[in-house]
Amino acid sequence: MGTAIHPETVLIIDFGSQVTQLIARRVREAGVYSEIAPFQNAEEAFRRLRPKAVILSGGPASATDIGSPRAPDIVFESGVPVLGICYGQQTMCAQLGGKVETGDHREFGRAYLEIETDNPLFEGIWAPGTRHQVWMSHGDRVTALPEGFKVIGISAGAPFAAIADDKRHYYGVQFHPEVAHTPDGARLIANFVREIAGLKDEWTMATYREQAVAAIRSQVGEGRVICALSGGVDSSVAALLAHEAVGEQLTCILVDHGLMRKNEAAEVVEMFRKHYNVPLVLVDASERFLSALHGESDPEKKRKTIGRLFIEVFEEEAKKLGGADFLVQGTLYPDVIESVSFTGGPSVTIKSHHNVGGLPERMNMELVEPLRELFKDEVRALGKELGLPNHFIGRHPFPGPGLAIRCPGGVTREKLDILRAADAIYLDEIRKAGLYDAIWQAFAVLLPVQTVGVMGDSRTYEYVCALRAVTSVDGMTADFYRYDMEFLGRAATRIINEVRGINRVVYDVTSKPPGTIEWE
């Protein structure tokens, strides 16, 4: 998952918290590269990455249980600064000779931290004698500190809510500084990585571009390269990086699987052929994909089928080109995180349409994944660095399986045409209202139910269309966008009037916590 190109790295050991990825985001916002490793693989990750600091995440386990997760001993033997958050604080104290107990003083939600003393962790944000809102989520709590630690902050339910061993550069907080509900929490994490650990703010997209291009050249050498181009921001940025690195050794392949948005294939071809002069092959495989998907309602089988067919098409096109040694893919860090079951859960199925774990041996090709270490907003920043136009950089994400997963139930060409038309109208209304850039992702879904309705003097029996819009930063978490009713009424009226096959429109107001799938 990592490389050796980041001399200053913060390793985040994941104990199963739902918000571990937010810690990584906060570290990167401070200008320092970070990487997450599950606690089971933490020792290997530590030796590979040689981090300059370590953060221990929260998690659902109890530090008082026999066999509960622990940080590897190498972390504390290495002398690098360590910050423990929630469970991370508890296991750090337990491992270093302190005491953790399960009691009746639980804290979940908003709490208030009272600052006891000056400390580098609080520099510039919190002063002694002041009281600040933080976000708690714990049942256990530290009841005795290891030797060398002191209390620097308390709360009603946690007498050791913030602790420090300044000599060894060990720090622990019972609250979650990484979440938005802890104002100034991001600055606390920045204090740890920048001031305490002494790391420089050298994590920039200009630097990453240079390193990624060099890494691609080193990996590819004189080999032939094909790129899986979908037309989305991720694959487009990956393609431009690869083209900058290896030039004419690269050929992009755009597979029109019949599941794309309206006019999408034509728009992508025009941009890459005319504006970037990147070699591009357009493959119309819509009949092949739709035949294989016809009537299939199981969402996981849809993803597996689409992934398998993509591989087959790339194999065939590579042979037509005289063979290929490498396949460029726009895998992002969230794809990697969600594809690895860090704590034994079912998240391995979430990105099953991606080839995150590698390609089938029969392909005899090696994956090139230049964006594998980036979050979505970082990819957009890199796209800007590469010269992609703003309207394209800000384009809403579109999943690899395309409209197949926005058409729950059986997939047919008729249903896809209805969905494609409704989706185009919805996005058109969003743009007209000036809301497109305020929304991270918006799309229509054709629900697998039909309802009776009356349109004019006739009774209809047609599909229900659901509209979704969410706000997010990196796609790992999302909250629904709060439209006003005037907008929803306008969009719904256009869809019902202009799209035959839909007689009812609803708005989805669910949120996306970490590790959930869009609509399945």
Side-chain angles (χ1 to χ4, degrees), residues 232-510:
V233 177
D234 308 336
S235 65
S236 297
V237 171
L240 290 181
L241 270 178
H243 189 248
E244 183 174 325
V246 299
E248 294 183 359
Q249 292 171 243
L250 171 74
T251 300
C252 292
I253 299 175
L254 173 61
V255 178
D256 184 352
H257 48 17
L259 305 167
M260 302 178 79
R261 290 171 288 201
K262 189 174 181 179
N263 300 326
E264 188 165 36
E267 293 171 0
V268 174
V269 169
E270 180 178 11
M271 184 174 76
F272 273 81
R273 284 181 178 168
K274 292 185 178 180
H275 295 283
Y276 293 103
N277 199 29
V278 175
L280 172 61
V281 174
L282 174 62
V283 182
D284 183 356
S286 57
E287 188 59 42
R288 182 173 180 174
F289 277 78
L290 297 182
S291 295
L293 290 168
H294 185 80
E296 181 57 68
S297 60
D298 183 277
E300 185 60 16
K301 288 182 180 178
K302 288 182 187 178
R303 286 176 174 264
K304 293 289 188 183
T305 298
I306 292 167
R308 172 178 58 80
L309 291 176
F310 265 127
I311 291 296
E312 291 177 4
V313 172
F314 289 135
E315 280 186 293
E316 294 165 7
E317 294 303 315
K319 289 179 181 177
K320 292 178 185 178
L321 293 168
D325 306 296
F326 298 90
L327 172 64
V328 177
Q329 182 172 272
T331 305
L332 303 192
Y333 197 38
D335 299 330
V336 177
I337 294 172
E338 291 187 339
S339 296
V340 178
S341 187
F342 278 5
T343 55
S347 63
V348 70
T349 65
I350 291 175
K351 296 290 183 179
S352 54
H353 61 285
H354 280 268
N355 306 297
V356 178
L359 296 168
E361 288 187 14
R362 71 172 193 275
M363 288 191 72
N364 198 29
M365 271 190 273
E366 185 178 325
L367 272 179
V368 178
E369 298 174 309
L371 311 181
R372 191 179 174 91
E373 297 173 333
L374 302 184
F375 286 95
K376 189 75 174 190
D377 57 313
E378 293 172 325
V379 173
R380 287 186 167 133
L382 180 57
K384 187 173 183 178
E385 176 72 25
L386 289 165
L388 279 170
N390 287 333
H391 74 273
F392 190 84
I393 292 171
R395 198 176 190 192
H396 291 180
F398 192 61
L403 297 180
I405 61 170
R406 294 177 181 172
C407 189
V411 176
T412 66
R413 190 178 291 275
E414 177 192 17
K415 289 170 67 175
L416 290 170
D417 287 342
I418 293 171
L419 174 57
R420 194 174 284 114
D423 189 68
I425 290 171
Y426 179 37
L427 293 178
D428 182 54
E429 285 298 322
I430 288 173
R431 289 189 176 93
K432 286 179 178 177
L435 300 175
Y436 192 85
D437 292 337
I439 297 169
W440 188 79
Q441 185 182 46
F443 55 86
V445 177
L446 195 68
L447 299 183
V449 293
Q450 291 177 287
T451 63
V452 174
V454 175
M455 300 176 70
D457 296 322
S458 302
R459 178 177 291 173
T460 62
Y461 185 62
E462 296 177 330
Y463 288 104
V464 177
C465 175
L467 305 181
R468 191 173 197 205
V470 296
T471 58
S472 183
V473 173
D474 50 37
M476 294 294 289
T477 60
D479 195 10
F480 67 91
Y481 185 80
R482 287 156 175 79
Y483 286 124
D484 61 53
M485 292 305 297
E486 182 179 349
F487 171 84
L488 287 175
R490 188 166 60 247
T493 299
R494 272 198 65 191
I495 290 171
I496 291 171
N497 286 342
E498 298 178 31
V499 182
R500 289 188 176 275
I502 294 175
N503 67 1
R504 195 176 304 274
V505 176
V506 299
Y507 183 56
D508 168 37
V509 294
T510 56

